[in-house]
Each structure stands twice: as C-alpha cells, then as structure tokens.
Amino acid sequence: MADFDTDLFVIGGGSGGVRAARIASGYGVRVMLAEEYRVGGTCVIRGCVPKKLLVYASRFFHEFEDAAGFGWTVPAPTFDWATLIANKDKEIARLEAAYTANLTRSNVAIVKSRAVLEDAHTVRLLADDRRVRAKHILIATGGSPGMGTGIAGIEHVISSNEAFHLTELPRRILIQGGGYIAVEFACIFAGLGSEVTLVYRGENILRGFDDDVRAHLRAEMERRGIRVICKRIVEAVEPVDHGLCVELSDHDDIIVDKVMFATGRRPNITGLGLEAAGVRINEKNAVAVDEFSRTSVPHIYAVGDVTDRVALTPVAIREGHAFADTVFGGKPVAVDHTNVPTAVFSEPEVGVIGLTETQAREQLARVDIYQAVFRPMKATLSGRDTRMFQKLIVDGLSGRVVGCHLVGEGAGELIQVLGIAVQMGATKADFDATMAVHPTAAEELVTMRTATASYVREAAE
Ligand SMILES: Cc1cc2nc3c(=O)[nH]c(=O)nc-3n(C[C@H](O)[C@H](O)[C@H](O)COP(=O)(O)OP(=O)(O)OC[C@H]3O[C@@H](n4cnc5c(N)ncnc54)[C@H](O)[C@@H]3O)c2cc1C
C-alpha cells in the first residue's frame, strides 16, 4: 500500500461520488475526491434542487387563481424572475458549502480539478498537472445534456443547465423533448407566465411511463395552455427580428424567444482516459459495470449516471453507498434497480412505482386494473378544471400490487410512502384492509373495490 498516495480516488463530487467518499472514509481509508465544477454535482447545482425551487415558484400562479373561489381577493400578482434566480442561487451556494463542509469533516481531501485516468492506478489532476496513485478508483462523473447533431442553429439552443441562469423569463419558449426534464420545464415556464410549446418526436410525452398516465398528463398540460406537438422534431433554429424562428420537421415555423432542448443525457466519459485504464464501455456509451458497480478493471468501480442504469439521485447515492460497503466495509451489497419509485414534478405531479399496465400484461398470466379519475375536492370551490388519476395494477393470481400510478397534487409525496407497501409485497387485500383517511384524495387508493379491467394472457402456442 505504501506504493499508493490514497486508498480511494473518487472522480466526481455529485450524488454518487460524495456518498461513496464519506462512507469509505468512515471505514478508515484515505479518500481523495476531484470535482471539476461545483461540489454537489448535477442534483444540487443544476438538477433536482434548483428545479424543485422553480417548480414551487411556478405553482403560486394557480394558487392565486384558486384562492378566489374560497373567498380571497388577490390583487393581480406580479412576478420577478431576477428575484427568484438570485434567491435560488443563494440556496444552491449554501448547499454547496454544506456538502463541502461535510466532506471535509469526513476527512475526504477535496481537489478542485478535472481528473483523468492515465493508467489503471494513476489519476492526473489537470489543475496543477499532478499525478495521484490510487489503490481503488471510483468513476462518478455523471452525465450531461445531449443536444443532438446536425441541427442548423444549434448554437442558439439552451439546455437545462442554461435555463437555470437566464437573465429574464422568456415570453415565448419552445422546449424539445418528451422526458421528465422537458415536461417539468414546460410546466415551470407555463406556471411563471411564458407561452410554452413542447415538441416531441414520439407518439406521446413521458415514454416508458404507463400509457394512461401519459395521456392524462398531456391533457392536463394542454388544459393549462401548453401547446404539445408530437411526432415532430426541430430541424433548424434561426435568429429573426424579435426572436428565434424554429423550423419543425413538417415545415411549420414557430417564433419564440428561447429554445431549449431536453432530449436525453449522455454519460460523461469523453476524455476521461477510460481506454488508457482498460475500462470498458457498453453499447449505451456508458461505463460497463456488474451488479457491484465493478468495471472491467477489478479495482475500478463506477456509480451513478455515468453507468446509465437508473439516472436518479437516490439511485446514485445508493450505488455509492453500496460500493463503499462492498469494497471497504466487508459487506458486499448489490443494488436492486427494480421497483424504484419516481416522480415527475409537472403540474399536476406524477408519481409512479412498479410495472406499467403494458409491462404487467406482458409479464403476468392475469392482471387486474383498478383505476379512478375524479375531481379533487379543492377543485370544486376553486372551479379549476382538473382531474386526479389513480391506477393500481394487481397480479391477478397472487393479489400483489405490482404497479401504482398517480397524477395529481402530492403524487410525488404519496408515491414515496406507497413505495414501501409495494416494495414489501402488499396485496390489494392489504390496501383494502387499510382504513381510509378522510377527506383526502389518497383515500381512493384503499377504497377502489371493483376492478375496472381484467386481462388473462393467452397461453403461447
Ligand atoms: C434538470 C435535472 C433535473 C433532475 N431532477 C431530478 C429529480 O427530481 N430527482 C432525481 O432523483 N434526479 C433528478 N435528476 C437526475 C440527478 O441529478 C442525477 O441522477 C444525479 O445527479 C446523478 O448523480 P451522479 O453522482 O451520478 O452524477 P452528478 O451528480 O452529475 O455528479 C457528477 C460530478 O462529476 C463532475 N465531473 C465530471 N467529470 C469530471 C472529471 N473528469 N473530473 C472531475 N470532476 C468531474 C461533474 O462536474 C459533476 O459535479 C435531474 C437531473 C437534471 C439534469
């Protein structure tokens, strides 16, 4: 070991890297961590956290409107983008400092530099052209927005990174993408008062989610004035007087003030020296790992978005923790990537866990669906035209709830708790045996008595 400068070198100070570094250090090993931008990574600096702050800001608009039906007179509210961004930046700086302090308190040596692999045990720090020999290396470099290729005028297009730092709220914005980031930003900008067009090349937004969730959310977004255009792509973006002219694949032109792409994220592997270290990448251009996050080089591991398994913060954190337990704690832990609950912080919110109806019908012999669409109580007096959507997918043979899909207020909070029941293998009978909490929207989940549909898979011939 005398041969090595450190026992563990972590490349990347985001969700996965920070957790791994702190837990490893707790096991008494020497840990160094390099971060080329800001400690905290995507989630804290330009992902989940700033996004959720913007989501909160965008929802006041409807609250002001809804208040009238409950007797409030609210003077025409005005909104100041600069104040929101300044306050958001202050909070992000506070969090960055807290992350840095926690790492330092945990005896992790932080290096503010880009790090690249020179060989399987050597990390080169570009800031001061230093080399560090490490016994183990963890690649936790995350991902970045993929902007596509061959689009004329791509230099006028922003990604979510820049959206957090716009100097003013765009009056008109076109967002290309159908994933959760595109959908969330469409709702944020619409809530803050922008005119929003969402363009997506697929059949419908939120590919991979349950089809009923996709249809329900799209209708709700359209009801809130967001223009959703599917089966089209942006072909060119050109500056014109007072804005940008966006040419779509059907040759329709749309004039807006900003164009944002949220068309997927790519693992950060470029120029990392993976080849020099002998680390293999897979067909998704992500670092290939086994169930213990070990790469093709036995003492080099990778966690989080750079491995492109489930690109979410809690998953990166769990993988980072499991890595440290496995390598330094003597407790091999493989992370289970099934049944990951997830939320889309759209307006209204989405919360899901488990199988979609399509997946369940492909995988199970018998499937029972319990579905409810109803007007939430708050909407009666507010007069808002909105519906809550709830769907339970049940294995018809065992009675287990294998999927749960919600669209409506609080869906993200609800799915966290429902996730425990689904993870524990709760059956529909367990849901039914649970007393309702009245009056709530969630009580519907334990009072849906009759299946709205049942499917029996035909035996393969
Ligand atoms: C707009 C947006 C919203 C999101 N919202 C959510 C959400 O609501 N919920 C959720 O669970 N997830 C959300 N995510 C995803 C979440 O942010 C990521 O899954 C998570 O941050 C991944 O953690 P990570 O450790 O793998 O990588 P990151 O957090 O990306 O950290 C990687 C770090 O490595 C650094 N780095 C890269 N290369 C090098 C190098 N060579 N040398 C030194 N440093 C390097 C980067 O600067 C970065 O700080 C969102 C993402 C985005 C973009």
Side-chain angles (χ1 to χ4, degrees):
M1 187 170 297
D3 200 2
F4 297 112
D5 304 312
T6 186
D7 300 312
L8 171 63
F9 197 102
V10 179
I11 308 180
S15 308
V18 166
R19 173 59 68 94
R22 290 183 59 196
I23 301 300
S25 181
Y27 286 124
V29 300
R30 297 169 300 163
V31 183
M32 288 179 79
L33 178 148
E35 170 52 56
E36 68 176 342
Y37 180 52
R38 293 176 67 182
V39 173
T42 303
C43 173
V44 175
I45 307 297
R46 44 194 184 188
C48 334
V49 176
K51 180 222 30 215
K52 191 76 188 282
L53 295 174
L54 265 51
V55 167
Y56 284 127
S58 69
R59 287 182 180 167
F60 283 102
F61 178 64
H62 287 147
E63 292 294 321
F64 293 133
E65 279 187 350
D66 290 354
F70 294 89
W72 290 94
T73 304
V74 182
T78 57
F79 169 70
D80 183 41
W81 172 262
T83 303
L84 171 63
I85 296 303
N87 289 346
K88 179 265 294 174
D89 286 344
K90 213 161 106 193
E91 173 58 9
I92 301 309
R94 186 189 71 78
L95 286 173
E96 184 186 5
Y99 269 71
T100 305
N102 282 340
L103 279 171
T104 307
R105 244 197 319 272
S106 305
N107 293 320
V108 174
I110 305 170
V111 192
K112 294 302 294 283
S113 172
R114 179 168 173 79
V116 297
L117 296 166
E118 215 163 63
D119 62 42
H121 278 292
T122 311
V123 178
R124 188 167 152 233
L125 297 168
L126 301 194
D128 53 2
D129 200 17
R130 185 156 52 105
R131 281 164 185 76
V132 177
R133 297 265 305 153
K135 187 169 186 217
H136 293 92
I137 294 169
L138 179 69
I139 302 167
T141 50
S144 352
M147 302 295 278
T149 48
I151 296 150
I154 190 72
E155 65 276 16
H156 306 295
V157 178
I158 62 166
S159 72
S160 57
N161 286 351
E162 293 76 42
F164 289 119
H165 298 286
L166 293 175
T167 49
E168 54 187 32
L169 178 71
R171 193 169 63 77
R172 303 159 298 181
I173 184 165
L174 182 144
I175 299 174
Q176 172 158 252
Y180 78 93
I181 295 175
V183 163
E184 288 173 342
F185 272 95
C187 294
I188 288 169
F189 282 116
L192 295 177
S194 304
E195 202 180 291
V196 180
T197 306
L198 186 67
V199 175
Y200 176 53
R201 71 160 159 207
E203 286 283 326
N204 202 358
I205 56 170
L206 290 187
R207 185 165 63 91
F209 283 71
D210 187 273
D211 285 339
D212 288 324
V213 168
R214 302 167 74 188
H216 190 90
L217 181 66
R218 179 176 176 172
E220 288 279 347
M221 287 170 66
E222 287 175 334
R223 225 174 270 149
R224 286 163 170 77
I226 297 173
R227 186 175 170 209
V228 182
I229 302 176
C230 289
K231 296 192 264 183
R232 309 272 193 290
I233 55 168
V234 171
E235 297 228 306
V237 179
E238 193 192 345
V240 289
D241 281 351
H242 312 298
L244 296 166
C245 175
V246 184
E247 190 192 324
L248 299 186
S249 43
D250 61 357
H251 304 299
D252 206 4
D253 285 348
I254 301 177
I255 308 284
V256 291
D257 303 298
K258 278 281 171 234
V259 181
M260 170 178 159
F261 281 7
T263 45
R265 293 177 60 81
R266 313 270 172 269
N268 281 333
I269 56 165
T270 311
L272 200 54
L274 296 180
E275 229 176 271
V279 174
R280 266 205 303 273
I281 55 168
N282 62 21
E283 64 294 342
K284 295 195 285 182
N285 256 337
V287 176
V289 288
D290 68 10
E291 73 269 35
F292 295 104
S293 298
R294 181 185 282 221
T295 71
S296 51
V297 180
H299 62 272
I300 301 183
Y301 288 70
V303 295
D305 287 8
V306 75
T307 63
D308 200 12
R309 287 174 283 183
V310 179
L312 290 171
T313 285
V315 178
I317 291 174
R318 184 67 69 90
E319 289 168 359
H321 200 128
F323 151 78
D325 283 347
T326 301
V327 177
F328 302 108
K331 291 180 282 188
V333 183
V335 173
D336 179 3
H337 291 93
T338 56
N339 270 345
V340 175
T342 183
V344 180
F345 296 101
S346 44
E347 180 60 23
E349 231 165 74
V350 174
V352 303
I353 184 169
L355 301 181
T356 64
E357 180 178 327
T358 307
Q359 290 168 333
R361 288 170 61 183
E362 277 163 11
Q363 294 173 27
L364 303 174
R366 187 184 154 167
V367 177
D368 295 327
I369 307 290
Y370 294 81
Q371 190 166 310
V373 179
F374 57 93
R375 193 170 193 206
M377 190 192 259
K378 191 176 166 193
T380 56
L381 292 204
S382 73
R384 179 163 300 285
D385 184 11
T386 184
R387 298 284 181 280
M388 179 134 192
F389 172 88
Q390 299 184 352
K391 180 174 186 175
L392 294 181
I393 298 176
V394 178
D395 179 340
L397 296 186
S398 67
R400 259 186 83 161
V401 177
V402 292
C404 187
H405 305 267
L406 312 174
V407 187
E409 192 175 337
E413 302 290 339
L414 277 174
I415 208 68
Q416 179 68 83
V417 183
L418 272 174
I420 302 171
V422 174
Q423 178 67 22
M424 288 176 73
T427 60
K428 179 67 170 59
D430 293 323
F431 275 58
D432 295 344
T434 306
M435 199 66 82
V437 178
H438 184 72
T440 63
E443 68 182 300
E444 197 69 22
L445 288 164
V446 298
T447 54
M448 289 194 274
R449 294 273 160 233
T450 320
T452 44
S454 290
Y455 301 93
V456 178
R457 198 176 57 196
E458 304 205 350
E461 292 187 6

